[in-house]
Amino acid sequence: MERFDGTFTQQEPIPEAGIEAALEVMRSGRLHRYNTVPGEVGEVALLEEDFAAITGARYCLAVASGGYAMTTAMRACGVKPGDPVLTNAFTLAPVPGAIASLGAVPVFVEVTEDMVIDLDDLAAKAGRAKVLLLSHMRGHICDMDRLMALCDAAGITVIEDCAHTMGASWNGVPSGRYGAVGCYSTQTYKHINSGEGGLIVSDDEVLMARMILLSGSYMLYARHKAAPPPEVFEGLRLETPNISGRMDNLRAAILRPQLALLEGQAQRWNARYKVMEDGLRGVPGLGLPHRPEKEGYVASSFQFLLTDWAEDDVRAFVERCAARGVELKWFGAPEPAGFTSRYDHWRYAAAEPMPQTDRILAGLIDMRLPLTFSEEDCALIARILREEVLATNSGKEAAE
Ligand SMILES: *Cc1c(COP(=O)(O)O)cnc(C)c1O
């Protein structure tokens, strides 16, 4: 029996150019973004310019984390304690956590078999909130044209959680550019890696001025480059609290060379994804999400569905794969494990019954696709998964 012996959490090293730039910052001692000498533009301000250019956004702000980016975006959009905020039932814990941190209340929307937000359920719930925190969970992008038409008609402000879609697009428009605000993470397991970190883009000058002030700019906002002009800050600077969450020059220095490589990395991820997809297509009992033509994805992870399998069969399958070195995350497990948890585990946020999401998550299997895996590794993983699904199927038949 074949076994896989790679590590699902091993990232590639920081590019040498990033290491060099980080050493430069450390030698200067000027790690704080506003600690610049006259005429100098710090690494954080440069990163913001770079990312604004890549996404085509007018403005960009770098912050301490993806979670901080989402909280700041919601604050800037006026979310107050007690306010309902629409969001995906299938997402990662920092998304409802960001809503809860404002004292606001998540209103969960069902997921589809393609692992995106269910737009029919969203339409049914549209009257209940003024803000949607849309999570492109695991890089799956819904029909953004339909979503925006729906939200525009209902007067809903859309904030995009692009933690898994940096570099991705819908219909040629970069992910994060449909909503009023796009939020990204530069945490180690995302598409560019500074340990922790976040980026925010927006074309709205008032929202961006508020977010810059919220992030802890003091009265130094004129040192930003990808920012609205100082007069936009005039009416806001004394009434906007400083809720410290800046990025520092060291992280920005590590990130800038990675941004330049993002497109090539996306192709490498997608090549791995395709090997997995090809290896698993047509396996009875295993469902793959349909990826629409308009979706320009960056597949840094892989998901499939074991819909309507008995819970014990899924558990046994996950265990057998683990014994062969393939580490899977199961969204149907009764208890949260590692990074994986489910809406009904988030006890601080009461949820309504979500029958469709329950059925899908019960069979949803997820795995990372780090670039330290070769395409041959992915072919081997797919063979192991295929064999173990087929073994479960024949076990079921024998029992019938
Ligand atoms: C990682 C993640 C976040 C938050 O990013 P951090 O930088 O870790 O705070 C938000 N949403 C999703 C879907 C994520 O996976």
Side-chain angles (χ1 to χ4, degrees):
M1 259 204 321
E2 289 186 297
R3 241 195 86 86
F4 178 64
D5 55 17
T7 310
F8 280 77
T9 49
Q10 185 57 52
Q11 305 305 118
E12 292 190 301
I14 301 302
E16 282 305 319
I19 296 174
E20 280 303 315
L23 288 174
E24 273 303 303
V25 170
M26 286 192 281
R27 289 195 180 103
S28 79
R30 295 192 294 278
L31 272 67
H32 192 284
R33 71 169 294 162
Y34 299 122
N35 184 200
T36 49
V37 294
E40 183 187 20
V41 181
E43 288 282 346
V44 179
L46 292 170
L47 173 70
E48 290 165 346
E49 271 190 330
D50 291 352
F51 197 64
I54 284 180
T55 53
R58 286 175 77 186
Y59 310 119
C60 177
L61 171 67
V63 294
S65 75
Y68 184 89
M70 295 186 288
T71 321
T72 304
M74 283 187 284
R75 274 206 177 90
C77 290
V79 174
K80 299 269 180 316
D83 286 354
V85 175
L86 290 156
T87 196
N88 309 56
F90 171 49
T91 186
L92 231 64
V95 178
I99 297 170
S101 79
L102 299 178
V105 182
V107 177
F108 294 112
V109 182
E110 301 250 37
V111 68
T112 74
E113 288 191 335
D114 290 331
M115 299 170 200
V116 296
I117 194 165
D118 183 331
L119 296 179
D120 294 329
D121 194 40
L122 179 64
K125 291 171 177 163
R128 291 172 50 183
K130 284 287 151 213
V131 172
L132 165 66
L133 179 55
L134 172 68
S135 186
H136 303 297
M137 177 63 170
R138 288 294 180 257
H140 297 275
I141 305 177
C142 72
D143 180 339
M144 289 302 295
D145 301 311
R146 193 179 153 209
L147 177 128
M148 289 310 299
L150 203 162
C151 290
D152 287 345
I156 295 172
T157 303
V158 178
I159 298 170
E160 292 183 66
D161 163 24
C162 305
H164 302 160
T165 53
M166 183 185 285
S169 60
W170 177 265
N171 206 11
V173 177
S175 187
R177 300 290 294 127
Y178 276 90
V181 186
C183 302
Y184 308 77
S185 169
T186 66
Q187 189 240 78
T188 290
Y189 299 111
K190 313 297 162 96
H191 295 176
I192 56 175
N193 173 12
S194 58
E196 304 286 357
L199 288 161
I200 309 177
V201 298
S202 182
D203 285 348
D204 186 308
E205 60 178 20
V206 171
L207 284 181
M208 185 48 82
R210 271 197 206 120
M211 293 192 284
I212 290 171
L213 290 163
L214 285 166
S215 77
S217 63
Y218 301 92
M219 298 300 146
L220 300 166
Y221 42 79
R223 295 193 193 172
H224 287 242
K225 302 299 267 179
E231 55 270 23
V232 180
F233 292 80
E234 279 310 313
L236 305 168
R237 62 188 198 134
L238 302 180
E239 64 183 42
T240 307
N242 173 330
I243 306 179
S244 262
R246 293 170 302 274
M247 182 177 278
D248 57 273
N249 284 332
L250 193 52
R251 280 166 210 209
I254 291 171
L255 289 172
R256 287 183 59 221
Q258 294 182 60
L259 259 192
L261 299 173
L262 181 60
E263 216 177 291
Q265 300 290 76
Q267 286 168 13
R268 295 175 64 214
W269 263 307
N270 290 353
R272 284 156 180 74
Y273 185 88
K274 187 163 186 313
V275 170
M276 293 286 303
E277 211 178 26
D278 289 347
L280 291 172
R281 197 174 283 117
V283 176
L286 181 149
L288 294 172
H290 167 66
R291 316 274 341 217
E293 198 66 28
K294 288 185 179 174
E295 184 192 21
Y297 57 79
V298 178
S300 51
S301 64
F302 187 84
Q303 292 74 40
F304 58 91
L305 291 173
L306 305 176
T307 307
D308 296 337
W309 280 36
E311 190 178 319
D312 286 345
D313 285 341
V314 183
R315 183 178 295 106
F317 167 80
V318 170
E319 282 167 7
R320 286 199 312 274
C321 291
R324 297 179 68 178
V326 177
E327 200 185 302
L328 301 172
K329 316 284 177 210
W330 175 30
F331 276 88
E335 289 299 318
F339 290 100
T340 308
S341 61
R342 199 172 53 218
Y343 76 90
D344 54 328
H345 297 142
W346 307 324
R347 299 276 166 79
Y348 56 82
E352 300 158 38
M354 307 245 100
Q356 181 177 315
T357 298
D358 290 342
R359 176 164 176 255
I360 291 166
L361 296 189
L364 202 156
I365 307 288
D366 172 39
M367 55 172 266
R368 287 209 179 92
L369 225 42
L371 290 173
T372 49
F373 290 3
S374 66
E375 290 179 37
E376 291 70 36
D377 289 338
C378 294
L380 168 59
I381 292 168
R383 282 199 300 281
I384 292 173
L385 295 174
R386 181 186 196 98
E387 282 169 19
E388 294 301 338
V389 170
L390 294 176
T392 310
N393 287 345
S394 57
K396 277 190 221 162
E397 275 159 27
E400 270 159 20

